[in-house]
Amino acid sequence: MKVLDLLAGWLQGLPVLPADARGVLWLPLLLAVVVFGLLLARRALPPLGRLVTAGLGLLAVLLGAVLLLPDLVVAAVFRRGGNRPPAAVYGYGDAVVSLVLGLQRLTAAVSPATQRLSRVHGGLVLLAALGWLWWWNQRHCPDGPPGSCLSPVDMWVAAFDE
């Protein structure tokens, strides 16, 4: 809710708006910015999903490489001595590879999920924006004596009386 508080405060003090109209225009502007922002975020989800998938896949490979270093050292010590490494070393390496492959399968699900989320109907995005603003308005004032705090919508309605 801090995001909406900051955005509302910024819009109320926007120097581009006429001073006498700021109290009336800030709430419709806030609604427009939230809806537009959510629609824009919806469009940005597919490339962000691909970026996250690639980044997490790279992190999984790097984690696997770091986890395989002890396996490499132990196997090199045994081979240098002319012995074959114990089966536990092979088991550890197999476990690390399975872990990395599992992490890569898990991170590969991010991109399709963001693709599906980006295809959400615009009406649902509008409903989500309205719901978010309604929740923000309802939660704006802490529990206290009645009349001690004005909700954002009450402040906006009061601006029409001025």
Side-chain angles (χ1 to χ4, degrees), residues 13-102:
L14 202 60
V16 177
L17 300 175
D20 54 343
R22 285 182 192 155
V24 176
L25 293 177
W26 73 270
L27 191 62
L29 278 175
L30 179 65
L31 175 65
V33 167
V34 168
V35 169
F36 181 72
L38 288 178
L39 288 172
L40 189 63
R42 184 180 72 153
R43 293 289 175 222
L45 281 176
L48 286 175
R50 289 190 297 272
L51 183 67
V52 167
T53 298
L56 290 177
L58 179 65
L59 281 175
V61 169
L62 290 174
L63 175 69
V66 168
L67 290 176
L68 283 175
L69 284 176
D71 179 73
L72 177 70
V73 170
V74 170
V77 167
F78 273 96
R79 288 212 165 91
R80 198 164 288 215
N83 298 325
R84 194 171 144 208
V89 172
Y90 292 107
Y92 174 76
D94 290 343
V96 169
V97 169
S98 295
L99 173 73
V100 169
L101 291 176

